[in-house]
Structure formats: structure tokens, C-alpha cells
Amino acid sequence: MKKKTQLIETVVHGLFLCLGLITVACVLLITVYLIVSGLLAIKEIGLKEFILGTKWASTAAEPSFGILPFILTSIYGTAGAMLIGLPVGFFTAVYLAKAAPAAVKKVIINLVSLLAGIPSVVYGLVGMLVLVPGIRTFFGVPDGAGLLAAIIVLSVMILPSVINVSVTALEAVPKEYEDASLALGATPTETYFRVSVPAAKSGIAAAVALGVGRGIGEAMAVMMVAGNAADMPSLFASVRFLTTAVAAEMAYSGGLQRQALFSIALVLFFFIMLSNAALNFFLKGSKRG
Amino acid sequence: MNLEKRRVWGRRQAVAALLRGAMLLATACTCSLAVFIVFYVLAKGLPDITWGLVSTAPSHIKRTIGILPDILNTVYIIVAAVTAVLPIGAGAAVYLTEYAGNKKTVEVIEYVAETLAGIPSVIYGLVGMLVFSGTFGTSLLAGALTLAVMNLPTVMRTTQESLKTVPQSYREGAFGLGAGKWRVIRTVVLPGCSDGIITGCILAVGRMLGESAALLFTAGFAHVLNGFFDGLAGSGATLTVALYVYAKERGDFETAFAIAAILMGLTLSVNILSSAVGTFFKARREA
């Protein structure tokens, strides 16, 4: 009897361990797959030509695989989105965490989580029909689909992540700090920005890292508004991001072209790992601080 | 001196007013964006939702467009993905909080889950295409498994959080009565953390509803009416993928907005449901 119970315990323990290890297996699988299939094309094309080449013509008679345009587009696009989205998100977060009355805060938090839940294709659709024609008439360019449209869509899409993480960080600031500052004669607004914000800076940095990760990784919304021409980026020109470069050609690719798409995914993965590492670093810092 | 003091105070007032203005402006921006997107999509989409659209399959002969297959595909893929992710995610969380004695193992698995949460959906789509579509063909099943992997961290994290709220004394009481570890988990711990598992599921369903990039190359584009099991074996577009195809490839914005309005309604309901469930369980716990 006792032996049987012990056996069951061991089996169940092993089962739960396996379930836990599946997560690890998934990440290993994804990493190994990407590295193995990504390196094939890089080896064939040459790392320098691949990363620094400015011409992408995967289906030409003499194909050329340079992904510098995609890398730069992803960096510019994400940086631009942060430039617009970060101040808006930051100030909204400070207001929500510190200044807003409870009822207002509840409503706005709900609106923000609604923004977070809207599917990226819906953002893309609204961008296609509102933003793209808007940019065309406002700036008088022949086609509104391009880097600027993508930057604006991305800046809206990263808002919820930036706001949520910053609000959590700001709310975790000990009340004593703020009370001390108020008692010394600082106004409430001065207290928020000169005491609470510096105290929550790790968490806010984590929000930035998360926003960057979201921005670099977004594919569908960007694909619908960026135009997808494989040229070097400029603000009003049609551009292709790392994510959309993978998605745009995957359906009909083969041979070296397909392997090159895996290499692009590997480069994208590398960027994501960088932003993840930054995120973890800052989160650890905010737990300690 | 008095004049100097007043000048400093005036400057402080001005800076504070500026910052307060920035906060209000930014908040107004965020809110009006959310309200605008919701109303714009609903206003453009709702008039195009007809009974014919949601109850038929697209027909080339009658030249009509229907999205019933896409709706069913979405339901199938979510059911299959949740079925797959629930035991794995909840099981992993149980291992981490109840069994793992080794702190290093816990750290590794938690770190890995965080990494998994940060990987963009295009990469999931790519690897899902190689691994799952390579095994099962381009099918809803391959898409569902990809979604399951993507949502593993969500389910795991929420289950873990709620496992931590089950009081240690409950476990000790059960052990003291002579129950084995498995029995304690089955009869005391799991029922106590059902709220976390349910919340995790709702969150995961919300993310699955909105996912598209990971499904393009794993689940495919077909608009065929099928039963559950035939549906899983065959290729099929979910609502999000169908929206992309109608908007970007066919330029049919009426159908696209109708789908967008449906998706918006579903997103709203998932949000309302998750906050309602949260309040319900919180009230029950405090009672």
C-alpha cells in the first residue's frame, strides 16, 4: 500500500517536472532552430554583405541579399515610435499613478487595457484608412504609406505597455518618500516629478525596454501601413521592417531566398534578446531599489 | 530678499503648471485615441454586419462573401490551443511553486518563460511553420499549437501568482492529516488557485483572438466550412487573418471593417469578463 502511494508520488512529481521543462524545451527549440537555419544563408552570402549590404533583390536573376535597409528601418521606426509614444505614455502614467482621482483612474486604466487588447490587424486597418490618406494630403506626398505612418501606428501600439509598467513602478514608490518631500514644502507636482519618478526610474527604464521590444517585434500593423518596398529608409518613403521582410516573402520563397529569410529572423531575434536582457536588468534593479 | 523669494516661487509655480499641463494633455491624448479607435471601427463596421455575412461561407457562384468559416476557425483554434496550453502552463506553475526544491531550476524556468513572452509573433510563426506545419501540414492544429506555445508564459505566470496566495497553513493542515503531496495539490492547492487559472485562460484567449502574424504561415488562408476535427486538420483563416486578407490583398474594406467591429466587440467582452472575474474572485476571497 505504502509502496503504491510512493510510486504515484514519484510519477506525479516527474510529470510536473516534465511540464515545467516543456517551457525550457520550447525556447531551446526556437533558439536552436533559428540559429541553425539562419546561419546557412549567412555563411553562403557572407556576414558582411548580408548585414551591411544595401540592396535586397531576392528574386532577381542575380539575387542580392543585403538587409541593412531592414535593420535601419526597424531601428528608425522603433526610435521614432519611442520618441512620440514615450512622453505621452510617461506623463499619462505619472498622472494615473499619482494625480488622478480614483474613479477617473479606473476608467482610464480600463481604456488603456482596451488599447492593449485591440488586435494589431485592426490598428493596421485604421492606419490604412485614416493615417495613410491623412499623411498623403497633409504633407502632399504621392503615397502616405511609409515610415511615418508606421512610426505613428507603432507609437500608439506601445502606449499600453509603457503606461502599465510605469504605473506599476510608480505605485511601488514608498509613501514615506513622498510624505517627506511634501513635509519639506515641495508642491505635489514637484514631489511626483522630483521624488517619485527618480525613485521609480528602474521600472520606467524597464517600460522603455519593453516598448522597444514591442516596437521591433510588431509585424502585421506595420505591414499594412509601411508600403513594404525594400529601399533604404526615409520618412515618407515606402519601407520594409525586419519583421515585414520575413512575413512578406515567406509564402512564395524557396532555396537561398528562404534561408535568407531565416537569417533575417535570426537578426530580429538578436535584437529582441538585447531588449529582453535590458528589460530583465532594469526589472531586477527595480526589485532591489 | 522678499522679491527674490517671490520670483523663485513664481518659477516653481510655472514649472509645476507646465508639468501638470503635460500630464493632462498626455492623458487626454491616450483616452481620445482609445475612444476614437473604438468608435471609428464600430461606426464603420457595424452597418456592414449582416446576417448573410456572419451565417454563410463565401461563394464564388453567388458572388457573396461570408465569414462564418472564419468565425468557426477562430473558435476551433482557441479551443484547441487552450486545451493544449492549460495543462502545460498550470502544470509548470505547480512544479515551480510546489515541487521545485532547487532554487536554480526555478530561476532558469522563470527566466526562460520571460524570454518566451518577449519573442515576437513573426518568429513564432516562422518556427511554427517549420516544426508544427512540417509535422501536421498547414492546418488549424499547427496554428493552435503555435498559439499554445506563445501563451505558455501568460498561463504559467497567472497560475503561479495565485498559487502563491494559497495560505501555507492549508497545505500544512492537509499534510498534518497524513495526506501525500499529490493529494494535497489535488484537493487543497488546485481548488484554491482556480481563479488564477481562469484569469490566465481569459487573458490567453484575448491574446489568441488578436493574433495574426503567427497564424499566417501555420494555419493558412482557407475559408471552408468544416466540423471541429476536419477543421483542425485542414487549413483555415481566423478572423484576424481574414481581416488582413480582405483589407490588404483584396481591398474589400467593408468586409474588413465588419470583421474589425466583431473583433472589437470580442476584445471589449474579454476585457469586461476578465475584470468581472477578477472582482468576483476577490470578493469571494475576502468573504
Side-chain angles (χ1 to χ4, degrees):
Chain A
M1 183 60 202
K2 191 155 186 206
K3 242 188 180 154
K4 200 179 150 204
T5 336
Q6 249 173 11
L7 185 72
I8 292 180
E9 289 295 338
T10 320
V11 169
V12 170
H13 187 146
L15 196 69
F16 278 121
L17 177 63
C18 283
L19 291 175
L21 289 179
I22 285 181
T23 323
V24 181
C26 285
V27 172
L28 280 181
L29 188 81
I30 292 175
T31 316
V32 170
Y33 238 110
L34 276 176
I35 292 179
V36 168
S37 45
L39 284 180
L40 281 175
I42 293 185
K43 220 196 252 158
E44 193 149 326
I45 300 160
L47 183 63
K48 201 165 158 238
E49 283 90 295
F50 186 68
I51 302 281
L52 296 178
T54 54
K55 189 163 170 259
W56 173 268
S58 56
T59 47
E62 265 184 54
S64 143
F65 298 96
I67 62 162
L68 191 63
F70 308 153
I71 295 180
L72 286 182
T73 305
S74 275
I75 292 176
Y76 291 170
T78 311
M82 293 309 289
L83 215 60
I84 303 174
L86 191 61
V88 177
F90 169 72
F91 281 109
T92 309
V94 176
Y95 178 74
L96 286 181
K98 298 296 166 193
V104 176
K105 181 177 170 183
K106 204 173 160 201
V107 172
I108 300 179
I109 290 276
N110 275 327
L111 278 178
V112 171
S113 65
L114 180 66
L115 267 185
I118 295 175
S120 49
V121 280
V122 174
Y123 280 111
L125 182 67
V126 175
M128 262 172 104
L129 289 189
V130 178
L131 215 49
V132 170
I135 289 174
R136 191 173 50 216
T137 44
F138 191 76
F139 293 99
V141 286
D143 187 3
L147 186 56
L148 183 62
I151 285 178
I152 296 175
V153 169
L154 280 180
S155 66
V156 177
M157 294 184 75
I158 61 171
L159 263 185
S161 326
V162 172
I163 294 177
N164 283 333
V165 177
S166 314
V167 166
T168 314
L170 285 165
E171 279 178 346
V173 174
K175 187 111 187 10
E176 290 79 12
Y177 292 11
E178 286 155 17
D179 289 345
S181 155
L182 289 171
L184 287 173
T187 64
T189 313
E190 282 170 339
T191 305
Y192 305 151
F193 284 94
R194 306 185 78 159
V195 175
S196 315
V197 169
K201 64 176 186 300
S202 276
I204 294 173
V208 175
L210 186 67
V212 169
R214 285 283 142 81
I216 288 188
E218 178 51 43
M220 296 306 280
V222 165
M223 191 138 105
M224 291 167 87
V225 298
N228 297 328
D231 302 328
M232 290 301 264
S234 89
L235 199 54
F236 294 104
S238 163
V239 291
R240 204 183 277 190
F241 287 67
L242 284 170
T243 47
T244 49
V246 177
E249 293 185 11
M250 194 38 95
Y252 56 83
S253 62
L256 184 61
Q257 183 196 1
R258 169 163 277 204
Q259 288 172 356
L261 295 184
F262 286 121
S263 310
I264 298 179
L266 184 62
V267 174
L268 176 63
F269 191 66
F270 173 73
F271 277 110
I272 292 293
M273 286 300 133
L274 276 185
S275 83
N276 262 358
L279 178 67
N280 275 319
F281 175 76
F282 291 129
L283 279 182
K284 278 229 178 77
S286 79
K287 254 179 212 151
R288 243 187 292 115
Chain B
M1 189 58 205
N2 208 6
L3 198 76
E4 174 69 16
K5 242 185 208 165
R6 201 174 289 166
R7 237 198 22 234
V8 170
W9 177 238
R11 204 166 54 220
R12 278 174 64 188
Q13 290 279 53
V15 170
L18 209 68
L19 287 172
R20 235 185 351 258
M23 284 196 306
L24 290 176
L25 189 70
T27 312
C29 254
T30 310
C31 296
S32 49
L33 266 172
V35 172
F36 166 75
I37 294 176
V38 172
F39 279 98
Y40 180 76
V41 168
L42 290 181
K44 284 209 91 156
L46 283 181
D48 292 321
I49 301 178
T50 57
W51 178 242
L53 183 73
V54 295
S55 66
T56 55
S59 157
H60 289 295
I61 306 164
K62 286 186 278 183
R63 291 180 172 279
T64 56
I65 286 176
I67 56 169
L68 182 62
D70 311 324
I71 297 176
L72 289 178
N73 286 335
T74 310
V75 174
Y76 296 162
I77 212 165
I78 288 179
V79 169
V82 168
T83 318
V85 74
L86 193 56
I88 302 177
V94 167
Y95 178 77
L96 288 184
T97 40
E98 305 296 322
Y99 281 101
N102 189 345
K103 211 167 163 231
K104 206 90 202 152
T105 325
V106 178
E107 266 172 27
V108 167
I109 297 184
E110 280 183 346
Y111 179 78
V112 159
E114 264 163 43
T115 311
L116 205 58
I119 296 176
S121 48
V122 185
I123 289 186
Y124 280 108
L126 203 64
V127 177
M129 184 183 83
L130 290 172
V131 178
F132 297 128
S133 301
T135 322
F136 305 106
T138 302
S139 62
L140 284 184
L141 183 62
L145 291 175
T146 312
L147 286 185
V149 176
M150 281 182 77
N151 286 287
L152 205 52
T154 315
V155 175
M156 201 173 118
R157 175 49 48 91
T158 47
T159 311
Q160 228 181 327
E161 292 300 322
S162 78
L163 278 171
K164 281 180 195 157
T165 64
V166 175
Q168 199 58 33
S169 55
Y170 287 16
R171 298 189 181 91
E172 282 159 4
F175 282 131
L177 290 172
K181 188 134 203 169
W182 168 231
R183 197 180 170 86
V184 173
I185 290 172
R186 195 161 42 97
T187 55
V188 176
V189 175
L190 281 182
C193 77
S194 54
D195 57 338
I197 299 181
I198 293 173
T199 317
C201 272
I202 297 175
L203 285 179
V205 167
R207 287 189 51 187
M208 290 171 187
L209 263 180
E211 187 47 55
S212 42
L215 295 176
L216 274 179
F217 308 113
T218 51
F221 303 94
H223 304 282
V224 194
L225 264 186
N226 268 325
F228 183 67
F229 291 103
D230 291 337
L232 278 186
S235 139
T238 60
L239 283 169
T240 44
V241 173
L243 192 167
Y244 172 76
V245 172
Y246 282 122
K248 185 78 183 162
E249 276 159 26
R250 302 203 193 157
D252 178 356
F253 291 115
E254 278 172 24
T255 315
F257 267 108
I259 299 176
I262 294 176
L263 282 172
M264 193 63 91
L266 291 172
T267 310
L268 274 170
S269 353
V270 167
N271 271 359
I272 292 169
L273 190 66
S274 75
S275 66
V277 165
T279 341
F280 172 75
F281 280 116
K282 203 173 159 209
R284 203 183 65 169
R285 182 156 293 184
E286 276 159 12

